[in-house]
Amino acid sequence: MNRRALLLGTAGLCASLAGCSSGGDAAEQSPAGTGTETGTASPTATETPRHPRLVGRSFTPARADACPADGGALASETETGVSVVGCVSGATDCAIARLARADYDVESDTATVVVETVERADAENCAESSVVRGYEATLRFESGLPSRAVVIHDDADGRREVARIDVAP
């Protein structure tokens, strides 16, 4: 059997069928020659959002060895979002760090991370001594980055802003 002839014949058949399946000539399908308007144009499916969109968040406890005494945080811009490394204080040794909120506000173009300390659910006989708990948090965005990121701690020292960065455009 002659493979080249078979392949050429198959390619020709496919090309001719593709033309038939389109339903006719493009000029016949166009309403341009009718003199009537078709109404509103529909938006394209690949339209890019005008604002960043928060698509992921993660929170991981971390070692508190290098925590500053003031319970601060360091926020930094990543290729796809914002990364935060920080430390919160607890009133007892049963306190743990927890991500209370991580969101993005379109109007202010600001990402906010709120980290709090809470007592473990299984906590019993906790010593009333201050502890420091480390954490790492990450926010991932699509369609760009927010212009600002704010980190708030809500812990034994009260609720306060501990870091703020302006993200490069």
Side-chain angles (χ1 to χ4, degrees):
M1 181 176 223
N2 189 346
R3 283 189 238 171
R4 286 186 188 169
L6 178 63
L7 290 174
L8 287 173
T10 304
L13 177 64
C14 289
S16 65
L17 288 176
C20 294
S21 67
S22 69
D25 198 351
E28 291 177 302
Q29 294 178 355
S30 173
T34 64
T36 60
E37 299 263 311
T38 59
T40 60
S42 62
T44 61
T46 58
E47 188 173 305
T48 305
R50 287 181 267 180
H51 301 285
R53 189 170 65 102
L54 181 62
V55 295
R57 57 183 64 88
S58 68
F59 185 83
T60 309
R63 294 178 54 134
D65 296 1
C67 287
D70 65 351
L74 174 64
S76 59
E77 174 184 346
T78 67
E79 188 174 307
T80 59
V82 176
S83 176
V84 180
V85 176
C87 300
V88 290
S89 62
T92 70
D93 63 351
C94 292
I96 58 172
R98 179 174 76 178
L99 182 63
R101 191 178 107 212
D103 56 23
Y104 169 69
D105 180 55
V106 173
E107 288 184 27
S108 65
D109 197 20
T110 301
T112 303
V113 176
V114 179
V115 179
E116 64 184 357
T117 54
V118 295
E119 297 295 316
R120 287 191 334 251
D122 62 346
E124 291 182 24
N125 302 324
C126 301
E128 300 254 349
S129 61
S130 293
V131 293
V132 177
R133 302 293 187 218
Y135 70 87
E136 294 177 12
T138 303
L139 302 181
R140 245 182 33 252
F141 290 88
E142 282 183 347
S143 303
L145 299 176
S147 63
R148 179 177 304 108
V150 176
V151 181
I152 297 171
H153 284 174
D154 190 0
D155 58 10
D157 296 328
R159 187 176 178 95
R160 69 211 178 280
E161 183 178 307
V162 294
R164 175 183 291 258
I165 62 167
D166 292 324
V167 179

